[in-house]
Amino acid sequence: MYAETRKSLDLTIVTALVVIAVGLALAGIDFLPLRFLFGLPLVLILPGYALVAAFAGPTLGAAERLVLIIGLSLATTALGGILLNMTPWGLQAGSWAILLGTVTLVGGAVALWRRRTSPDQARPFNFNPGFNPRQLALLGAAMVVVVIALGVARFGVEDQSPTLTQFWMIPGETNPSSLRLGVISTEAPTSKFRLQLESEGKVIQEVATIELTPGERWEKTVELSAEQSPKGKLEAKLYKLDSQGVATLYRWASLPAK
Amino acid sequence: MIVSTPDEARAIERTQPHQDIVEYQSADQELAIIPPSSAWGWFPALSLIAACSLLMISLGYTLNRRGEEWGASLFWVGLVVLFAPIAARLLSAEASRRERLALIGLLGVSIYLVKILHSPVNFTFHDEFIHWRTAIDILRTGHLYEPNPIIPVSPLYPGLQLVTTALMTQTGIAIYGAGNLLMGLARLMLVLSLFLFFEKLTGSQRMAGLGALLYMGNPTFLFFSAQYAYESLSLPLAGLALFVAARRQQEHGLTRLGLNVTLILTLLTIVITHHLTAYAVVGFLLLWTLVAYLSNLMARLRYKGYTPRLPGWNFVSTRLGLKKWFPASSSGPVSGEVLELQPGPGGAALLVLVASVAWLVYVATFTIGYLAPVLRDAVVEVVRLIAGEASGRQLFKGSVGQVAPFWEQVMGYGSVGLLILALPFGILHIWRNQRRNALALTLAVMGIAYPATLGLRFTSAGWEVSNRTSEFVFVAVALLGAYGLAWIWMSGRRKSWEWSTAFVVCVTVIFMGGVMVGWPPFARIPGPYLVSADTRSIEWEGIAAADWSRDGLPKGYRMAADRINNLLMLSQGQQRIVMNVGDGVNVGTIFMARELGPIEVDRLKKGHIRYLVVDKRLTTALPYIGIYFEAGEPDTGVHKTPIDPVALAKFDKLPYVRRLYDSGNIVIYDVGEISGVR
């Protein structure tokens, strides 16, 4: 009995993983590490593993099984998606989980049946890496260096990010007198701006003096009164103030005359 | 030949590395025993060296981003440090099968990581943005086939996006992580499948390792086939299909049935994933079927005592001394000899042919209109070149006149030259040793096509076709190259370290030359912003504008922009982009004209365009890839001066135009009053 259980330990683990992954998807649990841990094998490994276990004989080695597991998992997901698209449920987290879980469980059941009826033909996947401590240390060091390499590459991208100031003015779709104005600035250390609405060279409204720390966003909706409503082109001008308080036109937006 | 001990196998490998040898350790034996840790050989140490080389490449990228010129040197040195030691070990006779498989997997994944280090935060390659949008549409609607204006066939071949969105919905990770994870796994499957395929074909682990190494020298391997795109998934699936198609014939019972089912599922997945890969697989399987048929026909004739020869063959072969190379087969049936016929992949070929045609007719009809102009232009340009009506494309020269350094040209020519040198020897080897193997013969025929595809590189329209063909043709080139190089190596009969080093250098030159031939210099290494240079033009200001448009603009309206902002607005901005390929409206003139005349207004109206994205940086330089907006714009591919700043500034002065967004270089206008879209 113990030997029987041991022979099917891999299939027991596969079944447990499937049940948890499908449960997480159906329950809509959004805890990312948990979903990643169980969702990843559900898509990329488990369907292929169960299907390969269902048919593979002893002539297929570890490498052969590995490529078949990956390939069958991808094929099951892609072709299953075409079928799901034809159903009323479409391609949703729940429908994906049920499809992939069902394929895995059916494949696992066939594999279990084969192992009981013809144990010589259907042996469990027995891949023992057999690394010694020195080899494990070298592989561990390699992993650490790869993580550092990724960190250096990401630093290079972040380091390249420019100082940027975005400015916008969006009139209301139904009420054009209502203006949505906004600024985002990544300029360091802090940036000081003056925002004013102008028409035909005259200031209609001093909207605000804005001080933003890097990455900070400022947004305001301004309602123009009937008196403020411009006859000509309406311009929203964002002036940048230097340390002396001198204003330089920095960004601008405009709306045509009505 | 079957040997029983490692020493015996190594002795044969040393003396006859290109001969048919069956390993001492067959797959089933490997399953049954726990191998000693020494079976990993140098794999752990080489993993650390590979990791260090990736760190060098990463430092090179970062330095180049800062404008340090020696960043590029670090990149190249890093690539050599990554490739050459693993190549040297794979070429040695001492490595075990497990070690060779691990090294091939290590090298394939490490080369993939070179691409990840290139774009470590977000997608930056042209096609990635398009497939990203298709995936977003699937997530948003829960269904397939939403139109994609930049590559309209992308949603019609949704295999890649189906797996990606399944991964995203099950794990909760974003598309960049899901896509790259998927591509990495597919890359591992590709290199291992190719190793197993070559091993099955050659009967030698060592030749399989060399074949897989040479395949990595194909020009698309480092970047193009590693990007998040449908071809990058379909190609590994095709590799798996090749291996399964070759392997299933030696299996029996349920295993054979399972492999047949795997082959069917893999082929169907290719059909729904990528058009060109599906057609390449159809072509290959049909050719294999034909060769198998002819081979069986010859076998039957030989069995009946008739050795078919071309008329006058005996005379010619005697006079030219060719009998040594083309020995006559035994004539007449030998007592007790069994007629062995080779099963061809006729069923699989028929299946994938029918499935491809059905998919084309019922789902992806647009594919014909998408592919036909590319192929037609390539053929027309080749014909014109042959007729002397066209001057042809200058190799190693970009569209704005940038010329590759001399040493890169030497490596590029060296890479192609070495392969072409090895090809005849590989073909001869197959003719002498495997001419009754239909699969080997098919690959030999396919390999002959390689020099022909190189000819397309002399035309502007054909360059891309040639580059894209290489990832398929290189399966054959790798096998023939492996046979050819091994033959040349063995002909030396010198087992000195100098000879071995020279061999490793040759293989490394093939790989490095492939990198140089396959991807333009400005795109290989990330660096400061360049105008219309695809990956080099993706930067924070464009991404920020796309982010803003996604959250700030009303949904459901159409937008026009330059090539780069199109990509960002389509994917990150989730906007509806207007382009000639999808809407029949070439928007280039709207931006490039000095004034908004009737033609431009008509295009705005015809395209129902509400928003325009203007990037002022387009006025600062010529476009690196030859176009600012899309093919068909004025002066496509032959721009002599950058866009006139007056042309882009005209929108500021137009009445009825709303200037909504300004980030310094990028301005977004609302032109709904002109186009009539409100």
Side-chain angles (χ1 to χ4, degrees):
Chain A
M1 182 64 190
Y2 174 71
E4 281 288 313
T5 311
R6 207 179 142 81
K7 270 185 188 173
S8 305
L9 183 64
D10 60 333
L11 296 176
T12 310
I13 293 170
V14 165
T15 307
L17 287 173
V18 166
V19 169
I20 296 171
V22 173
L24 287 172
L26 293 179
I29 292 169
D30 276 338
F31 185 55
L32 195 66
L34 208 59
R35 287 189 62 189
F36 185 81
L37 189 67
F38 293 100
L40 187 79
L42 181 66
V43 178
L44 297 180
I45 298 168
L46 298 182
Y49 186 93
L51 293 173
V52 171
F55 72 75
T59 48
L60 292 178
E64 288 84 347
R65 289 186 184 216
L66 179 63
V67 294
L68 289 171
I69 286 170
I70 298 171
L72 276 170
S73 295
L74 297 178
T76 303
T77 309
L79 294 172
I82 298 288
L83 296 177
L84 277 184
N85 182 56
M86 297 172 185
T87 68
W89 309 286
L91 303 155
Q92 310 294 338
S95 55
W96 273 120
I98 290 170
L99 171 86
L100 297 172
T102 305
V103 170
T104 308
L105 292 178
V106 169
V110 175
L112 192 64
W113 171 74
R114 274 192 73 213
R115 283 183 194 177
R116 292 203 171 149
T117 53
S118 49
D120 292 343
Q121 287 298 306
R123 279 179 288 177
F125 189 76
N126 183 17
F127 181 78
N128 184 346
F131 291 119
N132 64 31
R134 187 174 147 273
Q135 291 170 331
L136 280 175
L138 284 168
L139 290 171
M143 292 294 286
V144 170
V145 175
V146 168
V147 170
I148 293 170
L150 280 167
V152 169
R154 288 181 73 95
F155 168 77
V157 176
E158 303 291 342
D159 188 46
Q160 211 179 9
S161 64
T163 53
L164 183 68
T165 296
Q166 299 168 270
F167 172 62
W168 63 90
M169 175 171 66
I170 308 283
E173 285 287 305
T174 51
N175 175 17
S177 299
S178 172
L179 305 171
R180 192 154 51 87
L181 296 155
V183 184
I184 300 175
S185 178
T186 62
E187 296 183 35
T190 56
S191 304
K192 207 167 180 181
F193 303 101
R194 187 168 71 223
L195 174 57
Q196 55 194 40
L197 296 175
E198 299 176 16
S199 181
E200 296 177 330
K202 292 177 186 171
V203 176
I204 297 174
Q205 191 181 113
E206 285 277 359
V207 180
T209 300
I210 309 157
E211 194 163 334
L212 298 177
T213 54
E216 197 178 355
R217 178 190 184 107
W218 175 92
E219 202 162 14
K220 187 177 182 180
T221 301
V222 174
E223 295 286 343
L224 291 179
S225 62
E227 299 83 56
Q228 290 175 325
S229 188
K231 294 184 178 62
K233 193 174 188 179
L234 173 68
E235 293 179 312
K237 292 187 175 175
L238 185 73
Y239 293 90
K240 187 169 185 185
L241 303 175
D242 65 13
S243 55
Q244 309 300 316
V246 178
T248 313
L249 180 60
Y250 204 49
R251 305 278 183 265
W252 63 283
S254 69
L255 300 176
K258 287 176 187 168
Chain B
M1 186 186 312
I2 297 174
V3 293
S4 55
T5 67
D7 290 339
E8 202 179 337
R10 283 172 193 154
I12 292 168
E13 282 264 303
R14 279 195 201 98
T15 53
Q16 303 168 300
H18 61 294
Q19 295 300 316
D20 297 342
I21 302 167
V22 175
E23 292 71 37
Y24 72 92
Q25 208 173 270
S26 67
D28 53 331
Q29 286 170 321
E30 190 188 18
L31 253 189
I33 63 168
I34 297 172
S37 57
S38 61
W40 291 108
W42 290 15
F43 168 67
L46 287 171
S47 298
L48 185 56
I49 292 173
C52 292
S53 72
L54 290 175
L55 183 57
M56 285 172 77
I57 291 167
S58 184
L59 282 168
Y61 284 162
T62 300
L63 288 169
N64 212 59
R65 284 181 195 276
R66 292 181 156 205
E68 303 276 356
E69 286 192 2
W70 60 287
S73 308
L74 264 183
F75 168 76
W76 291 117
V77 173
L79 274 187
V80 172
V81 173
L82 171 62
F83 189 85
I86 294 176
R89 181 62 181 166
L90 280 167
L91 294 173
S92 78
E94 280 75 25
S96 69
R97 180 176 188 266
R98 171 169 287 194
E99 184 186 348
R100 288 181 201 279
L101 275 161
L103 288 176
I104 283 296
L106 170 69
L107 188 57
V109 171
S110 297
I111 291 174
Y112 174 69
L113 284 175
V114 173
K115 189 268 173 189
I116 296 297
L117 294 172
H118 184 287
S119 316
V121 175
N122 52 350
F123 291 132
T124 62
F125 286 44
H126 179 272
D127 292 5
E128 294 181 326
F129 294 94
I130 293 150
H131 297 295
W132 172 2
R133 174 55 185 261
T134 302
I136 290 172
D137 285 339
I138 294 173
L139 280 177
R140 184 172 52 81
T141 63
H143 286 284
L144 302 174
Y145 317 127
E146 284 287 308
N148 186 317
I150 298 188
I151 297 187
V153 294
S154 168
L156 306 177
Y157 292 89
L160 169 74
Q161 292 86 355
L162 279 167
V163 184
T164 312
T165 51
L167 199 55
M168 289 170 76
T169 57
Q170 298 310 304
T171 62
I173 56 175
I175 189 163
Y176 174 76
N180 283 329
L181 208 59
L182 175 58
M183 293 296 98
L185 199 67
R187 171 55 62 89
L188 179 66
M189 182 172 76
L190 171 66
V191 293
L192 292 182
S193 296
L194 285 176
F195 179 96
L196 294 171
F197 174 67
F198 289 136
E199 184 186 40
K200 173 77 184 71
L201 203 57
T202 63
S204 161
Q205 313 155 7
R206 200 172 174 191
M207 291 302 293
L210 179 55
L213 267 182
L214 291 179
Y215 182 81
M216 293 182 201
N218 95 64
T220 63
F221 192 78
L222 179 59
F223 290 120
F224 185 83
S225 300
Q227 64 178 333
Y228 177 71
Y230 45 13
E231 202 163 347
S232 309
L233 178 62
S234 63
L235 191 68
L237 288 168
L240 176 67
L242 273 184
F243 160 63
V244 174
R247 175 65 189 254
R248 69 189 172 132
Q249 292 167 358
Q250 78 180 58
E251 299 293 340
H252 303 281
L254 193 60
T255 305
R256 183 168 184 153
L257 176 68
L259 289 178
N260 281 332
V261 171
T262 303
L263 181 62
I264 292 168
L265 293 179
T266 308
L267 292 174
L268 291 178
T269 309
I270 293 169
V271 169
I272 65 159
T273 301
H274 186 237
H275 38 78
L276 278 181
T277 310
Y279 306 149
V281 170
V282 169
F284 179 77
L285 291 178
L286 286 175
L287 183 63
W288 182 2
T289 306
L290 178 68
V291 173
Y293 172 77
L294 292 175
S295 185
N296 289 339
L297 185 67
M298 299 284 275
R300 281 197 187 94
L301 290 172
R302 274 195 305 272
Y303 186 72
K304 289 175 183 171
Y306 173 67
T307 305
R309 287 287 192 205
L310 290 172
W313 168 253
N314 280 335
F315 176 79
V316 172
S317 60
T318 308
R319 287 284 184 280
L320 299 179
L322 296 177
K323 287 209 164 178
K324 175 185 158 194
W325 299 98
F326 301 97
S329 304
S330 58
S331 57
V334 178
S335 175
E337 185 182 340
V338 178
L339 174 63
E340 285 189 18
L341 299 178
Q342 299 178 61
L350 188 65
L351 170 87
V352 73
L353 176 65
V354 170
S356 296
V357 172
W359 192 260
L360 185 70
V361 170
Y362 292 109
V363 179
T365 319
F366 189 83
T367 312
I368 299 166
Y370 174 71
L371 292 178
V374 180
L375 298 173
R376 184 195 59 214
D377 291 351
V379 171
V380 167
E381 213 169 323
V382 168
V383 171
R384 288 185 62 211
L385 190 67
I386 293 167
E389 293 172 11
S391 57
R393 173 178 167 268
Q394 200 173 336
L395 298 179
F396 296 103
K397 190 174 180 186
S399 52
V400 292
Q402 71 274 33
V403 179
F406 178 70
W407 75 276
E408 284 192 20
Q409 298 187 29
V410 170
M411 291 288 269
Y413 284 122
S415 169
V416 173
L418 281 168
L419 285 172
I420 289 182
L421 177 72
L423 279 187
F425 293 98
I427 292 168
L428 207 53
H429 172 89
I430 286 179
W431 184 253
R432 293 186 73 185
N433 301 294
Q434 289 186 291
R435 75 178 121 162
R436 293 189 186 171
N437 181 331
L439 180 54
L441 273 181
T442 307
L443 287 167
V445 172
M446 195 170 148
I448 294 169
Y450 174 62
T453 64
L454 292 175
L456 289 171
R457 287 186 177 267
F458 290 98
T459 66
S460 301
W463 176 84
E464 193 181 352
V465 176
S466 171
N467 215 37
R468 302 278 286 272
T469 312
S470 67
E471 59 195 5
F472 307 116
V473 175
F474 251 71
V475 176
V477 172
L479 177 76
L480 297 174
Y483 276 142
L485 288 177
W487 187 331
I488 295 167
W489 188 24
M490 287 307 295
S491 68
R493 296 291 171 202
R494 281 174 287 177
K495 297 293 173 282
S496 64
W497 67 269
E498 292 96 335
W499 192 237
S500 301
T501 306
F503 199 69
V504 173
V505 168
C506 285
V507 177
T508 307
V509 165
I510 289 171
F511 171 71
M512 298 292 283
V515 174
M516 290 159 190
V517 168
W519 210 239
F522 64 83
R524 286 179 211 137
I525 309 175
Y529 172 86
L530 296 173
V531 171
S532 211
D534 282 357
T535 178
R536 285 288 293 273
S537 307
I538 304 296
E539 48 64 64
W540 291 111
E541 190 169 353
I543 293 170
D547 275 341
W548 177 84
S549 77
R550 183 190 60 226
D551 302 328
L553 292 177
K555 302 285 179 232
Y557 293 103
R558 293 172 166 225
M559 179 179 270
D562 61 278
R563 177 179 168 97
I564 303 305
N565 285 296
N566 265 343
L567 297 174
L568 291 168
M569 289 295 173
L570 180 82
S571 53
Q572 194 105 10
Q574 296 181 30
Q575 296 294 325
R576 171 64 171 85
I577 297 300
V578 177
M579 284 187 80
N580 191 34
V581 66
D583 299 282
V585 179
N586 199 316
V587 299
T589 314
I590 298 171
F591 294 92
M592 296 168 80
R594 284 176 65 90
E595 291 178 352
L596 200 71
I599 294 172
E600 290 75 36
V601 170
D602 184 57
R603 291 192 180 181
L604 282 173
K605 288 180 177 173
K606 195 177 165 194
H608 303 288
I609 296 167
R610 168 95 188 247
Y611 300 109
L612 294 179
V613 181
V614 170
D615 193 332
K616 295 177 191 168
R617 291 170 293 188
L618 302 187
T619 64
T620 61
L622 291 170
Y624 265 75
I625 56 155
I627 50 172
Y628 288 107
F629 297 91
E630 62 178 321
E633 71 190 27
D635 298 330
T636 296
V638 291
H639 288 281
K640 294 283 184 282
T641 55
I643 296 180
D644 188 344
V646 174
L648 293 188
K650 66 179 177 278
F651 300 106
D652 286 340
K653 294 168 187 150
L654 289 171
Y656 312 119
V657 170
R658 295 171 169 184
R659 195 181 205 266
L660 301 179
Y661 171 93
D662 180 0
S663 63
N665 291 312
I666 296 176
V667 179
I668 299 178
Y669 298 94
D670 179 347
V671 292
E673 293 283 351
I674 298 175
S675 61
V677 180
R678 301 304 288 171

